[in-house]
């Protein structure tokens, strides 16, 4: 049965009649999708468009030629694209769209390709246009919208593929097999890059999570070492951890492997092992940025082992390679406080605050050092400044009470 096809002029008239509604609905849908995905950490990019008639008509004819017995159904009259950085973001974006819109169909582009073929990968969601938008703007020539989900590398390949092959003619069939293999290799390289980026992200996330735990543990040790000098009349003797063996380090191990090994050992509180790895990194690396970080972390490991002189030396070296390392200055001040070099500690805390003034904990520690030197007004001033930045600090509140009592007694 032949279709009763409408004329070109009538098709164009009908299509253009809905143009204003189509553009308005497209704009609102882009804004809605942006609002959805911008709740995610990496804030994906959202772009969209409504097809112009010429583009619509070419696709109409193409689909009609492929199946003359069916009225062409064009799914991307309105199309929105969500572009994200990492493969794992796809699931989060898809879930948000499924929760907000009615999904008619889902297609995973690329699943049909064999390992010998090339083509872009993408998730295509066909959603219903919300009824309230149709009611607001009227008929827009379609009742569905295509939302494409891609990584930034998948999107790059799709753009290239569209330019080279979407409008291909019979000349494409003349491409040699070696050239086709090169195209397949290019696509495979992008897919591999996506996987590698995701793998690196997973590793750095795990390391960052461990870093947070390690820093919190170190800060608890700082509190025990410094607050104990103020509030504990009888401190328990420091408990030493069992002696650890020094690892045998492969002299040809790459820097990345050494860094991961050092951080893992530090996270497990194998401080002697971590120090050995940090030392090896410093022997083979001359990058000042890396040296600053490694000296700081090795100093933290030394401090945890109560090797305060070595910790102070490493924090000093960290500052030598980066004079803006306010944390190294702070940590050096802590180490000096523990060994009761209070004047030197005050100088280090002041240096740290000169680099970064808004540090309530550094003000608090400097106030403690002033207290031990019996400069109670200076101690109170620092304590008040610390509380102004961090009003809920129970340690600083407790310290202020101690200072007020002391000043009252002297008063």
């Amino acid at each position: 049965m032949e279709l009763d096809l409408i004329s070109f002029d009538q098709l164009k008239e009908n299509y253009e009649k809905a143009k204003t509604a189509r553009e308005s609905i497209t704009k609102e849908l882009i804004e809605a999708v942006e609002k959805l995905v911008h709740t995610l950490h990496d804030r994906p990019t959202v772009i969209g468009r409504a097809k112009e008639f010429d583009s619509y008509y070419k696709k109409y004819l193409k689909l009609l030629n492929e199946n003359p017995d069916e009225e062409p159904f064009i799914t991307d009259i309105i199309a929105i694209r969500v572009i994200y950085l990492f493969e794992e973001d796809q699931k989060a974006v898809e879930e948000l769209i499924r929760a907000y819109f009615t999904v008619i169909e889902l297609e995973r582009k690329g699943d049909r390709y064999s390992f010998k073929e090339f083509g872009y990968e993408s998730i295509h969601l066909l959603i219903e246009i919300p009824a309230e938008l149709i009611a607001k703007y009227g008929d827009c020539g379609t009742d569905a919208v295509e939302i494409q989900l891609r990584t930034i590398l998948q999107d790059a390949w799709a753009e290239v593929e569209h330019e080279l092959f979407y409008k291909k003619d019979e000349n494409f069939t003349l491409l040699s097999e070696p050239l086709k293999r090169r195209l397949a290799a290019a696509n495979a390289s992008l897919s591999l890059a996506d996987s590698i980026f995701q793998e690196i992200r997973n590793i750095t996330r795990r390391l960052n999570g461990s870093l947070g735990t390690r820093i919190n543990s170190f800060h608890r040790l700082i509190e025990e070492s410094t607050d104990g000098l103020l509030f504990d009349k009888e401190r328990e003797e420091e408990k030493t951890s069992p002696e650890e063996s020094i690892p045998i380090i492969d002299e040809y191990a790459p820097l990345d492997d050494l860094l991961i090994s050092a951080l893992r050992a530090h996270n497990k509180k194998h401080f002697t092992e971590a120090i050995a790895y940090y030392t090896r990194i410093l022997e083979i690396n001359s990058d000042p940025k890396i040296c600053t970080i490694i000296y700081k972390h090795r100093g933290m490991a030394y401090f945890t082992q109560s090797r305060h002189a070595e910790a102070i030396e490493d924090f000093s070296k960290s500052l030598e390679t980066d004079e803006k390392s306010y944390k190294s200055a702070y940590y050096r001040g802590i180490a000096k406080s523990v060994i009761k070099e209070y004047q030197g500690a005050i100088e280090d805390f002041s240096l740290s605050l000169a680099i970064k003034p808004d540090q309530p904990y550094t003000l608090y520690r400097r106030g403690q050092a002033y207290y031990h030197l019996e400069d109670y007004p200076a101690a109170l001033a620092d304590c008040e400044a610390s509380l102004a930045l961090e009003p809920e600090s129970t340690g600083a509140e407790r310290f202020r009470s101690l200072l007020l009592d002391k000043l009252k007694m002297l008063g």
Side-chain angles (χ1 to χ4, degrees):
M1 175 182 175
E2 287 191 12
L3 290 173
D4 184 18
L5 299 176
I6 62 177
S7 68
F8 171 85
D9 290 339
Q10 187 62 52
L11 189 68
K12 184 173 183 179
E13 181 182 341
N14 292 344
Y15 194 77
E16 295 296 347
K17 190 183 297 182
K19 182 175 182 179
T20 300
R22 191 161 49 248
E23 290 178 345
S24 298
I25 288 174
T26 301
K27 183 174 182 293
E28 287 222 19
L29 286 173
I30 291 171
E31 291 173 353
V33 174
E34 280 183 335
K35 188 174 180 180
L36 277 180
V37 302
H38 281 188
T39 61
L40 301 176
H41 179 266
D42 290 320
R43 297 175 66 90
T45 299
V46 179
I47 58 176
R49 59 101 186 100
K51 272 187 183 295
E52 295 295 333
F53 177 74
D54 288 347
S55 177
Y56 166 81
Y57 188 62
K58 286 178 184 178
K59 191 156 191 177
Y60 180 90
L61 292 179
K62 180 176 180 288
L63 294 175
L64 191 63
N65 288 332
E66 290 173 356
N67 194 345
D69 297 328
E70 284 189 14
E71 179 68 25
F73 176 55
I74 300 174
T75 62
D76 64 342
I77 288 176
I78 297 175
I80 294 172
R81 193 180 308 166
V82 183
I83 304 166
Y84 37 84
L85 293 177
F86 299 98
E87 290 176 329
E88 70 175 356
D89 296 330
Q90 176 265 314
K91 183 179 179 182
V93 173
E94 183 179 329
E95 287 177 351
L96 287 170
I97 290 171
R98 283 180 175 277
Y100 190 83
F101 297 103
T102 299
V103 177
I104 305 168
E105 182 180 304
L106 182 146
E107 181 182 5
R108 299 185 186 279
K109 297 277 188 180
D111 285 354
R112 66 183 184 274
Y113 297 117
S114 75
F115 71 93
K116 295 180 180 179
E117 296 176 302
F118 52 89
Y120 78 90
E121 296 182 14
S122 182
I123 308 294
H124 287 202
L125 294 158
L126 195 63
I127 66 162
E128 286 184 4
I129 296 176
E132 59 268 23
L133 291 183
I134 299 293
K136 182 177 180 180
Y137 295 109
D139 177 34
C140 66
T142 183
D143 58 3
V145 172
E146 185 175 277
I147 301 182
Q148 304 167 353
L149 314 183
R150 301 174 185 163
T151 67
I152 193 168
L153 294 182
Q154 288 169 349
D155 189 60
W157 174 261
E159 292 294 326
V160 172
E161 185 190 49
H162 187 275
E163 181 65 26
L164 292 177
F165 312 134
Y166 181 71
K167 301 171 185 178
K168 63 181 181 289
D169 55 28
E170 62 183 10
N171 289 328
F172 179 73
T173 62
L174 301 177
L175 286 178
S176 66
E177 284 302 314
L179 185 54
K180 290 181 180 179
R181 284 196 294 271
R182 290 177 67 185
L183 290 168
N187 185 37
S189 296
L190 290 177
S191 296
L192 178 61
D194 260 337
S195 298
I196 291 172
F197 289 157
Q198 184 63 57
E199 182 182 357
I200 292 172
R201 189 191 207 196
N202 292 341
I203 291 172
T204 55
R205 180 183 288 133
R206 286 197 299 269
L207 291 176
N208 285 337
S210 299
L211 174 62
T213 302
R214 186 167 69 254
I215 293 295
N216 288 335
S217 177
F218 183 62
H219 285 175
R220 283 195 298 273
L221 178 61
I222 289 174
E223 289 176 6
E224 292 169 6
S225 300
T226 55
D227 291 359
L229 295 172
L230 283 176
F231 306 121
D232 298 340
K233 293 181 180 179
E234 293 183 6
R235 298 185 63 202
E236 293 183 10
E237 291 185 10
E238 292 182 356
K239 297 177 181 179
T240 57
S241 56
E243 186 61 31
E244 304 168 32
S245 59
I246 299 176
I248 299 173
I249 300 175
D250 180 2
E251 63 177 312
Y252 300 108
L255 180 63
D256 287 347
D257 289 354
L258 292 170
L259 283 168
I260 291 173
S261 296
L263 295 175
R264 282 176 177 165
H266 205 149
N267 293 339
K268 293 178 180 178
K269 299 184 179 181
H270 297 167
F271 301 116
T272 300
E273 182 180 345
I275 288 167
Y277 281 115
Y278 289 140
T279 301
R280 178 59 183 157
I281 292 167
L282 291 167
E283 288 172 353
I284 67 171
N285 174 76
S286 58
D287 185 333
K289 290 182 180 179
I290 294 178
C291 288
T292 295
I293 296 169
I294 298 304
Y295 277 127
K296 182 168 60 182
H297 284 275
R298 192 174 70 173
M300 291 163 65
Y302 279 137
F303 181 90
T304 305
Q305 292 189 319
S306 299
R307 297 164 66 177
H308 300 119
E310 289 156 298
I312 289 169
E313 184 178 355
D314 269 1
F315 295 142
S316 297
K317 288 178 178 177
S318 180
L319 273 165
E320 287 173 12
T321 53
D322 179 10
E323 60 183 15
K324 296 297 183 182
S325 181
Y326 66 94
K327 286 186 178 179
S328 296
Y330 169 68
Y331 292 153
R332 188 172 67 182
I334 291 294
K336 289 180 181 178
S337 289
V338 171
I339 61 174
K340 302 183 180 181
E341 290 185 8
Y342 296 119
Q343 188 56 51
I346 289 169
E347 292 170 3
D348 284 336
F349 293 140
S350 298
L351 172 60
S352 183
L353 288 164
I355 300 168
K356 189 176 187 297
D358 55 336
Q359 298 181 71
Y361 46 87
T362 306
L363 287 162
Y364 174 42
R365 302 300 173 196
R366 189 175 67 176
Q368 289 182 338
Y370 278 127
Y371 174 90
H372 290 296
L373 292 179
E374 300 183 357
D375 189 346
Y376 304 124
L380 182 60
D382 272 353
C383 185
E384 295 286 8
S386 176
L387 282 166
L389 292 171
E390 195 174 280
E392 297 180 1
S393 172
T394 55
E397 282 281 6
R398 190 180 177 192
F399 184 39
R400 180 168 62 179
S401 297
L402 177 67
L403 285 165
L404 291 175
D405 288 343
K406 179 68 71 173
L407 289 168
K408 189 181 296 183
M409 288 172 56
L410 297 173

